[in-house]
């Protein structure tokens, strides 16, 4: 199936991937006022439209690297999703957290990309989801706070809502929210505050406050909390799942608190634990997120 003529499509054949994800990806290039932008698309097999997830990389991590290292390519393929990996300018996202990032109009880029995927009958407009890691997670929050959002759900990993968005954020109903955060994250403070080791990268709300605010927007009235089974006895971290109840029909809000966890992707590669904090592998972030987005 051809995409609209405003897109320039080049085939990029993957020679390696960590799973049975699609063998070929499309590199899609869009002309934007702030310069050319691109995304890698792993299209689900068969005629579309398909449920589709956009995955936004963290700061300084390329979209191509995310395809190979995040587990989202494999998880999307396993659940019959098309996976879209957009590329931020200079590998950063303008997430409303800091004026230093305001040189790019990422919201327009992501909206245009989403419209093109829908118009090409690749993405199912009723099952279009957004996931993001760290800087990408905060960009995901910025997108779902907009009145013109096209997404039906958001999943954020080691991210929280930028304080600038607290008053204006009004996600649609019904909406699915999934959050995953370490309680000992040295970059994204779990209780809110300044971002980064030296606090020079804007401010965010506390993680639980972010989740509570979104739960209120979805008319949730109560919540439950359970500890998930421990799979790796050698790790000191534990996962607590907080779920909000009594929400608007077909809406849900869930927070995976990694107790003692650092700035690490649950189930992902452990990176510099002496600097970024402790990992957890009791859950796999990509698999869990796609499983929840696949639920009726």
């Amino acid at each position: 199936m051809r995409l609209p003529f405003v897109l320039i499509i080049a085939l990029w054949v993957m020679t390696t991937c960590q799973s049975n994800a699609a063998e070929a990806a499309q590199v899609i290039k869009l002309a934007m006022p702030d310069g050319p932008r691109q995304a890698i698309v792993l299209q689900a097999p068969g005629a579309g439209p398909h449920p589709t997830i956009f995955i936004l990389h963290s700061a300084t991590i390329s979209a191509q690297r995310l395809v190979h290292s995040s587990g989202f390519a494999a998880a999307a393929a396993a659940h019959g999703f098309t996976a879209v990996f957009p590329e931020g300018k200079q590998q950063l996202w303008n997430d409303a957290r800091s004026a230093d990032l305001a040189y790019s109009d990422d919201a327009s880029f992501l909206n245009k990309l989403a419209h093109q995927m829908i118009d090409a009958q690749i993405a199912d407009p009723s099952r279009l989801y957004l996931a993001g890691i760290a800087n990408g997670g905060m960009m995901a929050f910025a997108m779902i706070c907009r009145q013109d959002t096209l997404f039906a759900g958001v999943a954020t990993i080691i991210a929280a809502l930028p304080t600038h968005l607290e008053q204006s954020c009004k996600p649609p109903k019904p909406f699915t929210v999934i959050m995953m955060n370490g309680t000992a994250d040295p970059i994204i403070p779990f209780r809110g505050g300044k971002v980064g080791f030296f606090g020079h990268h804007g401010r965010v709300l506390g993680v639980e406050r972010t989740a509570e605010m979104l739960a209120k927007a979805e008319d949730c009235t109560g919540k439950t909390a359970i500890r998930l089974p421990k799979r790796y006895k050698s790790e000191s971290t534990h996962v607590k799942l907080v779920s909000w109840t009594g929400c608007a029909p077909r809406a849900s809000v869930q927070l995976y608190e990694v107790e003692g966890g650092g700035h690490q992707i649950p189930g992902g590669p452990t990176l510099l634990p002496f600097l970024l904090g402790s990992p957890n592998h009791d859950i796999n972030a990509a698999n869990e997120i796609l499983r929840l987005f696949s639920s009726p």
Side-chain angles (χ1 to χ4, degrees), residues 97-109:
R97 175 171 39 99
S98 171
D100 295 340
L101 302 173
Y103 55 80
S104 60
D105 187 358
D106 291 323
S108 292
F109 163 52

Side-chain angles (χ1 to χ4, degrees), residues 113-136:
L113 180 60
H115 276 295
Q116 297 292 5
M117 300 292 291
I118 292 168
D119 292 345
Q121 297 187 25
I122 291 175
D124 180 346
S126 67
R127 299 194 65 195
L128 184 62
Y129 303 96
L130 184 61
I133 302 166
N135 172 222

Side-chain angles (χ1 to χ4, degrees), residues 97-98 138 159-164 166 185-210:
R97 175 171 39 99
S98 171
M138 287 180 276
L161 188 78
T163 54
H164 292 316
E166 182 178 12
D185 190 330
I187 306 295
I188 305 296
F190 190 81
R191 292 179 176 81
K194 297 179 179 179
V195 176
F197 288 114
F198 302 105
H200 296 158
H201 299 286
R203 300 180 66 92
V204 293
L205 297 184
V207 171
E208 291 179 334
R209 184 175 173 184
T210 297

